[in-house]
Amino acid sequence: MKASNFCEPAQLIAFVLQKGPEWDPAVLEMLQNTWGPIRHKGKLFAFDQTEYYTPEMGSGLYRGVVSFEKCIPPETIALEKARSNALELTTATSENPDHRHVNVDIGYMDLDKVVLPSYKRGPFKLYAGEGVWLDMLLTYAKGVFHPTAWAFEDFKRNPYQHDLQLIRERWRKSVK
């Protein structure tokens, strides 16, 4: 059987972790300088289910989702992951390069799911090459995004539901 060259584009999205309940204009500018115009900027929600990032970024963290005008072939997400890590490093303090001011979890959405790439392997992640593992965190069915059993706590609670539905609908209309 011959392989097809067909590739459905995916919506490029990012879950952004930052200090404070309002979007930091400098963070938004960095995102746009890296990936182009933002199509949707979601609400920020308190990131209070874990203190994983507190030693590095401090307290009072919030996370929200943005989408970009840019769509990508899903197989290029490893490149976008490298770009997000490089962007994060530009926000590190000079005293301690391991302390970032922002965490950008770049990923993609297609009609059925939300996928985030990671440099960390895991039992439910699929290897995508170039040291990148793909983590499907949300699936879409019957008009709702559903967290997978292994999703992080904030995805299980999914305060991003409304924003993700808006992003999906706008993207779906744009690719018709």
Side-chain angles (χ1 to χ4, degrees), residues 45-158:
F45 297 93
F47 190 78
D48 56 7
Q49 296 299 299
T50 178
E51 295 192 11
Y52 180 82
Y53 292 99
T54 303
E56 178 183 359
M57 298 177 68
S59 59
L61 298 176
Y62 286 76
R63 180 146 68 173
V65 62
V66 297
S67 69
F68 301 91
E69 294 290 331
K70 179 179 182 173
C71 291
I72 63 164
E75 65 271 16
T76 65
I77 196 64
L79 171 64
E80 303 307 336
K81 176 65 177 169
R83 293 173 81 190
S84 72
N85 273 28
L87 174 67
E88 288 176 358
L89 291 177
T90 67
T91 71
T93 63
S94 56
E95 311 85 60
N96 189 340
D98 292 329
H99 285 192
R100 302 165 291 171
H101 290 288
V102 66
N103 176 277
V104 179
D105 287 322
I106 198 73
Y108 70 81
M109 172 192 291
D110 64 21
L111 291 176
D112 307 305
K113 62 194 162 294
V114 170
V115 176
L116 298 183
S118 174
Y119 289 123
K120 299 176 197 127
R121 65 176 294 139
F124 299 105
K125 296 178 182 179
L126 301 174
Y127 190 64
E130 301 187 41
V132 173
W133 299 83
L134 300 180
D135 196 354
M136 181 178 61
L137 293 176
L138 300 165
T139 60
Y140 185 83
K142 298 183 180 181
V144 178
F145 284 93
H146 303 275
T148 57
W150 56 89
F152 303 114
E153 278 307 312
D154 62 323
F155 288 100
K156 287 181 181 177
R157 290 182 306 138
N158 199 6

Side-chain angles (χ1 to χ4, degrees), residues 34-50:
T34 305
W35 290 289
I38 291 174
R39 178 179 283 163
H40 178 85
K41 178 178 63 174
K43 183 178 177 193
L44 289 167
F45 297 93
F47 190 78
D48 56 7
Q49 296 299 299
T50 178

